[in-house]
Amino acid sequence: MKQGLLIIISGPSGVGKGTLVKKLNRDRTLPAAFSISMTTRPRRLKEVNGREYQFVSQSEFAQHIKHNDFLEYVEYCGYYYGTPKKYVDDNLKLGKSIVLEIDVEGAEKVMKMYPGMYTLAVFIMPPNNEELERRIRMRHTEEEEKIQERLEKAKKEIDYKKDYDVSLTNYTINKTAKRLLQVIDNRIAYVDAVEEGRPTPADYVIKRP
C-alpha cells in the first residue's frame, strides 16, 4: 500500500477491546504497529506501564494537551485518555499500518480526521447487556458507582455502531479475533486493488470516502 492503514478498534468499556488487541499483537501475520494511549486512570492489577497504557499524572496529561501532542483526547468516567499524534502519523507516512484501541468518543473524532479507504473502523459489540455487566464486574477494579456509570455510558455508545465500517459481536475472543483479522485482510485487498487499478467487489462500501 502507498500509505499505512489506520485500524480503529472501538466499543463500550468492558466489551473486550484490549484483549482483542493483545491477540492481534501476538499474531505474526498482521504487519502493524500498535499505538499505546495515554491515561490518567490508575493502573489496574497486572497492567504494565507502556503495554496497556502510558499511565501519567493529571499535570503531565495537561502538559501534553498544552503542547498539542494528542491526535484526540477525551474525559471518560472521570479520567483522561489520549492518543499520541506523532507516533500515529509517522507510521502512516512510512507506509506502516497502525492499530488504535480507543473509546467511542475518541474514535468519532479520529474517523472525521482520517476519512477514506486507508481508515478501517471496527466497532466491538457485547453479546448482550447482561454479559457486558458481568465482564465489567469480573475485573474487580471499580466501585459500584463507577460500574453503573460505565454501563449507562455503554448503552448510549452502542448507538454509534452505525458510523463504523464493520460491527463485530464479541462472543469469544478467539473467534472474534479471527473475524477481525479477516476484516482487516479484506480492506488491505481492497486498497491494493484500487491502487493497482484492478476491479473491486461491488458490495464493498467505504463509509467515509
Side-chain angles (χ1 to χ4, degrees):
M1 294 188 296
K2 293 179 181 177
Q3 74 173 63
L5 184 66
L6 180 61
I7 304 163
I8 299 170
I9 311 294
S10 191
S13 173
V15 80
K17 301 186 298 294
T19 308
L20 273 172
V21 169
K22 286 179 188 175
K23 190 85 173 171
L24 287 183
N25 203 357
R26 291 194 295 266
D27 191 299
R28 299 303 177 189
T29 65
L30 180 64
F34 290 77
S35 175
I36 307 297
S37 295
M38 193 175 291
T39 184
T40 60
R41 155 173 93 62
R43 185 170 59 87
R44 294 174 184 150
L45 187 66
K46 296 185 179 179
E47 287 184 328
V48 176
N49 189 30
R51 187 180 67 187
E52 283 81 9
Y53 287 99
Q54 298 176 49
F55 296 97
V56 298
S57 66
Q58 199 89 7
S59 60
E60 286 178 283
F61 200 96
Q63 283 298 309
H64 285 291
I65 294 174
K66 183 179 179 180
H67 293 124
N68 196 30
D69 292 335
F70 292 122
L71 191 65
E72 56 79 32
Y73 70 91
V74 297
E75 183 182 4
Y76 184 90
C77 295
Y79 304 116
Y80 283 94
Y81 297 79
T83 303
K85 179 167 59 176
K86 188 176 186 303
Y87 183 78
V88 172
D89 285 341
D90 285 353
N91 275 279
L92 293 177
K93 288 174 184 176
L94 291 172
K96 296 179 181 178
S97 294
I98 188 161
V99 177
L100 294 186
E101 177 211 338
I102 51 179
D103 77 315
V104 174
E105 186 179 345
E108 289 287 320
K109 294 177 182 178
V110 175
M111 284 189 285
K112 290 175 183 175
M113 295 168 66
Y114 295 83
M117 68 179 183
Y118 290 101
T119 298
L120 172 64
V122 183
F123 193 90
I124 307 300
M125 285 279 294
N128 50 58
N129 290 336
E130 291 75 19
E131 175 60 16
L132 181 63
E133 181 172 353
R134 186 191 72 81
R135 291 177 185 179
I136 291 175
R137 290 188 181 280
M138 283 292 288
R139 291 173 172 174
H140 301 296
T141 57
E142 291 169 315
E143 300 295 332
E144 184 64 26
E145 183 180 352
K146 282 288 183 185
I147 291 173
Q148 293 303 322
E149 190 176 347
R150 288 185 183 275
L151 291 171
E152 283 302 311
K153 194 169 182 67
K155 291 176 184 176
K156 298 174 183 177
E157 288 175 333
I158 286 172
D159 291 338
Y160 286 94
K161 70 176 184 179
K162 65 183 184 301
D163 297 339
Y164 290 68
D165 297 295
V166 179
S167 174
L168 298 177
T169 300
N170 185 20
Y171 292 102
T172 66
I173 289 296
N174 287 340
K175 288 183 178 179
T176 306
K178 287 180 181 178
R179 291 162 62 207
L180 181 53
L181 281 169
Q182 186 59 60
V183 166
I184 295 169
D185 286 344
N186 289 345
R187 175 56 66 90
I188 291 173
Y190 176 88
V191 171
D192 285 343
V194 171
E195 289 182 346
E196 295 168 10
R198 292 186 281 106
T200 59
D203 59 348
Y204 198 97
V205 178
I206 303 293
K207 286 196 172 182
R208 295 169 311 284

